[in-house]
Amino acid sequence: MARYRRYSGGDPLAPPVDLAEALDAIGHDVMAGYSPERSLQEFLRRGPVNGRGLDDLARQVAQKRRELVQRHNLDGTLQEVRELLDRAVLEERKQLARDALMDDADRAFRELQLDSLPPNTAAAVTELASYDWQSREARQDYEQIKDLLGRELLDQRFAGMKEALQGATDEDRAAINEMLTDLNQLLEKHALGEDTPEDFADFMAKHGEFFPERPQSIEELLDALAQRSAAAQRMLNSMTPEQRQELMELSAQAFGSPQLMEQLSRLDGNLQLLRPGEDWGGAAGPGEFEGEEGLGLGDGTGALQELAELDRLSEQLSQSYAGSRLDDVDLDALARQLGQDAAVDARTLAEIERALRDSGQLERGSDGSLRLTPKAMRQLGRALLRDVAQRMSGRQGQRDVRGAGAAGELSGASRPWEYGDTEPWDVPRTITNAVVRRSAGQVETRIKLHLEDIEVQETEARTQAAVALLVDTSFSMAMDGRWVPMKRTALALHTLIRSRFRGDHLQLIGFGRAARTIEIEELTALDALWDKGTNLHHALLLANRHFRKHPNAQPVLLVVTDGEPTSHLEPGGEVYFAYPPHPLTIAYTVRELDNARRLGAQTTFFRLGEDPGLARFVDSMARRVEGRVVAPELDDLGAAVVGSYLGSRDPAGSAGGGSPSYADWFGGRGWWAG
């Protein structure tokens, strides 16, 4: 049988989730030293720009829970019974006072009975069970007490019964007793494994009007009843011992007979046996449910159910348990508590998490930890490269830097044509774009080209380059906020060379107290360590070794640092550190820089910070090797390094050490020397 319900899946025409924002945020946190697992969790907690994250949703859940427990108390039924009892006694006293025909001795005896009622409400109600009421209004109020207790007790187990049974007749009460008897018999047969699907179908056919949620199996019926019954038990546990005792005594007066309470106790026992995993022993915390608004037994049970649902949502949104996934979040419950928009936001976060894991952006390593895949690194690098290109083009109004180099050999890649391009057309790609653009129902056989169909072939400069990017990994880089910009710069340059200048040879070298070659995946995940020393000498040794491995390539030396050299490598391989810098450290560093110049290296220093000692050292070193010095702000570091690399491949910009065309990209935000 087909079942339909209201659509709750968000905008069906919305585009697929965009992973670019998530990947950029995760990549930034990874470069700052966080693990990919934690970076993903932090993004999901913050949420995307146009949506709520887990922290916002959890805060709203906590706020609703706080309002629920602070606004209400669980004494509503007892208060209502006290009010009805007081009103009944008052009406009876009035009747006794105005009945002139009543025997004085009888009046005195009745007044004595009323005056000697115990202060305990339950005891007073029990004592008045056999009282012969003289006032019709008083009798109605007292009968209303018994009716109220019966409806409240049923409402505890079956939501909505309090309203449905208002003004119930004896036939209605008999039907309820019959339903409870049949229900208990069905559950007891189920506990013994003796029930059949026909038993459940017969029960629902006979008593289905008492279950508006229309369960489709006995298991669904059990789940609904057990959750409600467990909430009722938690409500009793949350009362004071005096309230609990008073309520239990009053329960015997429900519908004027103890039979109802006996059936409900039997039902609770069956449910606890069949669903022991429910929270039967819990209770509200200290200070909760002490508000001004009283809740009856049914409403209080509903509040405890709602409280349990809010607590489950809070745990699901915290994602703090082992193996947690956003698919664990109950979207239906979230929609009930916070509205449909909250469920859509949670579904979007789950789709982002699922897409990141399933699209090859994240993977589990051999140790079980989450890590960025090479595909994710390439996508992140392309995003950083686009940002660099925008900064470069924004300095002088240039268009996006997307050419692979000066006109020369074809690289095998193509890109959309732009005004001013002189590269040859990629005819197959151009024709394919035109064919794909045509509508499926078009019968015209001729192909018409539009400007957006045209693609040109990218070319690659004939001259190869051996590039050594030396990045300072001393602790001061992290301490002064330069750690992430340094990593983003290295990744952008790596992506540019791997995607556009495949013939070039890039070597990444990190130098702190000592230097070592490092792969881009390791560099992006590298955490800052307390490691005193800036060993530029060792880094230059590794760079010169890289240049000698590629004798036919143009050496390009790029140095990013925020401190002058304070350590060097001794002939025996030991690291020597001294601050202020020892003259021998400076001498060794200068000697290796001279060796790089003799190999033909085009050198650019990127000075970070305002250290006067570093400025003097870098300026003198640049002049010695006819190099350049760039002092960019941190957000311009990537553009500066990429620009220097591209300038080194441009004969017009690099011949004779003249100033390159990108010298004034920084527009006063940094400065150029050299």
Side-chain angles (χ1 to χ4, degrees), residues 220-478:
E220 288 187 17
L221 177 63
L222 269 171
D223 289 339
L225 290 175
Q227 289 174 9
R228 184 85 178 173
S229 180
Q233 184 61 50
R234 291 196 300 274
M235 180 182 177
L236 287 176
N237 299 342
S238 303
M239 293 180 172
T240 64
E242 295 78 12
Q243 289 175 325
R244 193 158 48 245
Q245 179 63 30
E246 193 171 0
L247 186 61
M248 296 305 294
E249 293 175 4
L250 284 171
S251 299
Q253 301 298 321
F255 287 153
S257 168
Q259 184 180 2
L260 174 64
M261 196 59 200
E262 292 172 2
Q263 291 280 17
L264 291 177
S265 298
R266 180 182 170 192
L267 175 62
D268 289 341
N270 287 327
L271 292 173
Q272 291 187 35
L273 176 65
L274 291 166
R275 288 293 185 270
E278 292 289 339
D279 184 10
W280 298 96
E288 296 183 337
F289 288 107
E290 296 182 357
E292 298 295 327
E293 186 177 333
L295 293 173
L297 295 181
D299 291 338
T301 298
L304 266 295
Q305 267 191 299
E306 187 175 1
L307 193 66
E309 185 170 80
L310 290 169
D311 288 340
R312 285 194 299 271
L313 282 174
S314 180
E315 182 182 15
Q316 292 163 5
L317 293 171
S318 72
Q319 294 285 286
S320 58
Y321 50 92
S324 60
R325 295 285 293 267
L326 279 181
D327 291 333
D328 301 339
V329 178
D330 188 338
L331 298 180
D332 291 335
L334 193 62
R336 283 194 298 270
Q337 297 296 339
L338 301 184
Q340 193 60 47
D341 288 344
V344 171
D345 288 338
R347 182 182 294 106
T348 299
L349 293 174
E351 289 174 354
I352 290 175
E353 180 189 44
R354 194 180 309 113
L356 284 170
R357 296 179 187 272
D358 297 345
S359 64
Q361 307 287 354
L362 298 172
E363 65 180 5
R364 293 282 177 188
S366 57
D367 58 352
S369 63
L370 205 63
R371 64 186 182 190
L372 293 174
T373 64
K375 177 181 178 180
M377 295 296 297
R378 290 193 298 271
Q379 186 171 338
L380 181 59
R382 286 193 294 268
L384 295 175
L385 194 56
R386 282 194 298 270
D387 180 65
V388 166
Q390 290 171 0
R391 291 183 179 278
M392 292 168 63
S393 62
R395 296 293 179 255
Q396 292 186 335
Q398 301 167 3
R399 64 184 178 89
D400 191 9
V401 180
R402 296 193 297 171
E409 297 176 354
L410 297 178
S411 67
S414 64
R415 59 177 174 79
W417 175 87
E418 291 186 0
Y419 178 76
D421 283 336
T422 59
E423 290 84 357
W425 284 20
D426 187 330
V427 177
R429 291 290 304 167
T430 300
I431 299 300
T432 300
N433 292 339
V435 172
V436 171
R437 176 179 47 77
R438 291 198 310 164
S439 62
Q442 188 172 344
V443 297
E444 186 178 356
T445 57
R446 292 181 300 173
I447 298 177
K448 293 183 178 180
L449 296 182
H450 291 188
L451 284 178
E452 60 266 25
D453 298 330
I454 302 173
E455 292 199 20
V456 296
Q457 297 176 335
E458 288 187 338
T459 58
E460 195 168 57
R462 293 186 178 91
T463 302
Q464 290 183 336
V467 185
L469 175 61
L470 282 54
V471 290
D472 191 340
T473 57
S474 60
F475 191 74
S476 61
M477 290 284 287

Side-chain angles (χ1 to χ4, degrees), residues 79-125:
Q79 290 176 359
E80 196 170 353
V81 169
R82 290 189 196 103
E83 291 172 2
L84 288 170
L85 179 63
D86 291 343
R87 196 166 68 194
V89 171
L90 179 61
E91 291 297 328
E92 181 70 5
R93 289 184 186 280
K94 290 179 181 178
Q95 179 63 28
L96 294 177
R98 62 175 173 257
D99 189 351
L101 301 178
M102 180 177 290
D103 181 73
D104 289 341
D106 187 24
R107 179 186 294 108
F109 178 72
R110 290 178 180 278
E111 288 177 346
L112 181 62
Q113 279 185 292
L114 297 178
D115 290 340
S116 60
L117 286 175
N120 181 278
T121 302
V125 171

